[in-house]
Amino acid sequence: RELLGWIHGDLWLGNVVVDEAGAPRGLIDWGGMQFAGLPAVDLMHLVLTTRALAAGAELGPTVADALEFPRWSEAEDRLLATCETGGPGIGRSGLVLLAWLHHITSLAPRWRGATGRWLWVARNVDSVLGIR
């Protein structure tokens, strides 16, 4: 099984195009696309962002929860099983961290010098690192 491949880079429900019946028909916003990425990280990002959306939460607390209390629904298990663990020794916790790191590093440049940056960092970075 191939570990690396084309990845979207920002796979979340807001980038999924669906038809009238709600069936997925395509993906938009390929600006973060990578030629040699881990597809399992894309899928983990989809799982985590879907959880965050459902809870009305930021990604950081959702990631912290997934690391502290690793539990997966049947649907999440089926989706994540399609890419196994992403590679030898990575495991689900590793995928959670890789998806979070990819998300944080892709958004961090937008927040340089921005008003409210400290709040975003507190919610999405410090909450995962355990900084209070």
Side-chain angles (χ1 to χ4, degrees):
R1 181 174 256 181
E2 299 293 323
L3 293 178
L4 298 177
W6 288 95
I7 65 166
H8 183 272
D10 188 20
L11 189 57
W12 71 287
L13 293 178
N15 285 334
V16 178
V17 177
V18 296
D19 64 17
E20 297 79 24
R25 294 296 177 210
L27 297 173
I28 60 171
D29 190 12
W30 284 84
M33 178 269 303
Q34 295 178 8
F35 168 68
L38 289 171
V41 172
D42 248 2
L43 293 181
M44 182 59 79
H45 186 261
L46 177 62
V47 166
L48 294 169
T49 55
T50 301
R51 282 184 176 188
L53 282 170
E58 295 271 356
L59 186 62
T62 305
V63 167
D65 182 65
L67 292 170
E68 191 171 353
F69 306 105
R71 59 195 176 284
W72 310 98
S73 71
E74 267 186 53
E76 291 169 341
D77 264 334
R78 279 194 311 272
L79 180 65
L80 294 169
T82 63
C83 284
E84 297 299 321
T85 61
I90 293 176
R92 293 245 173 115
S93 293
L95 285 177
V96 168
L97 286 171
L98 286 172
W100 171 74
L101 282 170
H102 179 79
H103 178 77
I104 294 303
T105 58
S106 70
L107 292 179
R110 297 181 197 173
W111 284 95
R112 258 189 217 120
T115 303
R117 175 189 176 278
W118 63 272
L119 184 58
W120 182 83
V121 169
R123 289 179 177 164
N124 293 288
V125 179
D126 296 348
S127 64
V128 175
L129 298 177
I131 299 169
R132 304 279 186 249

